[in-house]
Amino acid sequence: MKRTETVSAVVVTYNRLEDLKKCIASLQQQTWPLNKIIVINNGSTDGTGDWLASQPALMVVEQANLGGAGGFATGIDTAFKAGYDWLWCMDDDCLAAPDALEALMAAPNLGPCIKNAMSVSVKDHSELAFYVERPNRTYRKVTDMTQFDMVHGVASFFNGTLISAEVVRAIGLPDKKLFIWGDEVEYMTRAIRMGYPVMTIPRSVFYHPPSFDRNGIPWPGAWKQYYAVRNQRRVFQNIHGDKYGVMVFMRWSLKEILDQAVSKRKNRLYNFLIYGEAAVDSLFNNFGKRPDSILTVKLYRMMNK
């Protein structure tokens, strides 16, 4: 790829100042220099804003906390309108290997496309930060991916995700209404649905905290499960089409709700209720709820004062 092509990093941050500092440092040490680093501060209250104000080399956008979806929508929009050829998107708890961007830029383009770094667990460099389950193959270990130059149809959005501006022009921005958990998968499957190649480049390495079992998140933090369920309808529609996707979602969500009802987890009643609330809201296109307005969360807080 020509060195004349411009690249802007897009980093979304919320109340993780020490992680953000490390992330920015890793970007500033890239062997393929970035043209600009854009940071979207999602209403942080931990001193992030003051630190960013002291960093003249960064382009900073301050906004209220709109979740990961709102942060990346703003960041991608800002970088796209500024005219960069490629947008390199990541959370604030990512660490890029020094040659991560160079490896992505050196990988072949299949026309306008999306190329993702390989997300490696920061706690165990032999494991992937995010397990990938496919019908005919499972990726859990780093060696499961490094045997290939490219892994097509697999990407851990937004963790070192390099997006062609031409793709953004065609598919638009992440949907702010999705808030968190599933917004990144919706964006990826939207790109695939519209025919744009999506791939992971194992030579490009990003270090990230390992993912955790969403179903195992203890209350009251389990409010995030609401978004994981609610947003899944949009993912299924991207994969299966609008009408059949809704049917797939109804079948999937009913199974998930019933699984919560019979589980042996401590707060299975609240899990059952929040899954049901999320499914109903999704089917009725209610995508406006923020954490404090989720009914099951309100009930939990009322009963556990």
Side-chain angles (χ1 to χ4, degrees):
M1 190 174 294
K2 298 178 181 178
R3 289 273 179 177
T4 55
E5 292 197 87
T6 56
V7 186
S8 171
V10 174
V11 184
V12 175
T13 188
Y14 175 69
N15 280 352
R16 287 196 291 222
L17 177 56
E18 294 309 311
D19 286 338
L20 175 65
K21 290 178 180 179
K22 295 174 185 177
C23 176
I24 297 299
S26 76
L27 299 181
Q28 292 171 334
Q29 296 165 7
Q30 289 298 299
T31 56
W32 184 298
L34 285 154
N35 296 92
K36 180 62 68 175
I37 299 174
I38 300 173
V39 181
I40 309 302
N41 183 18
N42 251 350
S44 297
T45 58
D46 64 345
T48 293
D50 292 338
W51 182 78
L52 288 171
S54 70
Q55 305 298 309
L58 306 178
M59 174 186 270
V60 179
V61 179
E62 299 278 352
Q63 65 179 26
N65 184 12
L66 302 179
F72 283 110
T74 299
I76 291 172
D77 188 46
T78 301
F80 176 77
K81 288 179 177 176
Y84 295 102
D85 298 311
W86 293 89
L87 289 58
W88 199 26
C89 302
M90 66 205 69
D91 289 322
D92 54 9
D93 56 352
C94 291
L95 285 175
D99 62 347
L101 179 56
E102 185 161 16
L104 289 175
M105 298 297 281
N109 294 335
L110 306 177
C113 63
I114 299 175
K115 297 186 282 188
N116 215 107
M118 179 177 63
S119 292
V120 176
S121 170
V122 73
K123 294 183 178 181
D124 182 349
H125 291 183
S126 70
E127 288 196 346
L128 299 176
F130 304 96
Y131 293 162
V132 179
E133 307 288 344
R134 289 292 183 267
N136 299 318
R137 184 178 290 274
T138 296
Y139 303 91
R140 291 176 176 257
K141 295 290 186 179
V142 167
T143 53
D144 292 337
M145 282 197 172
T146 53
Q147 58 187 300
F148 305 104
D149 292 331
M150 293 183 182
V151 181
H152 292 272
V154 172
S156 299
F157 280 41
F158 290 105
N159 298 284
T161 306
L162 186 68
I163 308 174
S164 165
E166 292 305 310
V167 174
V168 176
R169 190 186 312 279
I171 74 173
L173 303 174
D175 190 341
K176 294 181 180 181
K177 297 193 300 293
L178 301 188
F179 195 60
I180 62 167
W181 276 25
D183 57 289
E184 75 285 5
V185 182
E186 191 282 326
Y187 199 60
M188 179 182 74
T189 53
R190 193 195 315 171
I192 293 173
R193 181 182 187 181
M194 295 183 69
Y196 292 100
V198 172
M199 67 204 81
T200 290
I201 308 299
R203 284 191 57 246
S204 176
V205 176
F206 252 56
Y207 297 100
H208 189 279
S211 62
F212 46 82
D213 178 9
R214 291 177 175 176
N215 293 333
I217 299 175
W219 281 82
W223 59 266
K224 297 177 182 178
Q225 294 174 341
Y226 169 86
Y227 296 100
V229 174
R230 189 198 66 180
N231 297 341
Q232 190 65 28
R233 192 203 87 199
R234 295 280 301 279
V235 173
F236 282 138
Q237 287 182 298
N238 286 344
I239 296 172
H240 300 290
D242 289 341
K243 292 183 179 179
Y244 185 60
V246 172
M247 296 174 61
V248 173
F249 172 75
M250 291 175 66
R251 183 176 59 188
W252 171 85
S253 60
L254 179 60
K255 179 182 181 302
E256 293 294 318
I257 293 167
L258 293 176
D259 284 348
Q260 295 307 316
V262 299
S263 73
K264 296 181 180 179
R265 295 189 178 94
K266 178 181 177 182
N267 290 301
R268 67 178 182 178
L269 171 61
Y270 295 110
N271 286 339
F272 169 76
L273 292 174
I274 205 167
Y275 273 60
E277 181 180 352
V280 170
D281 283 346
S282 186
L283 290 171
F284 283 90
N285 239 15
N286 182 5
F287 282 80
K289 285 184 179 177
R290 291 296 177 261
D292 287 343
S293 60
I294 298 171
L295 298 179
T296 306
V297 173
K298 289 183 176 181
L299 175 64
Y300 177 86
R301 290 174 176 170
M302 181 178 69
M303 300 300 293
N304 293 272
K305 289 183 178 179

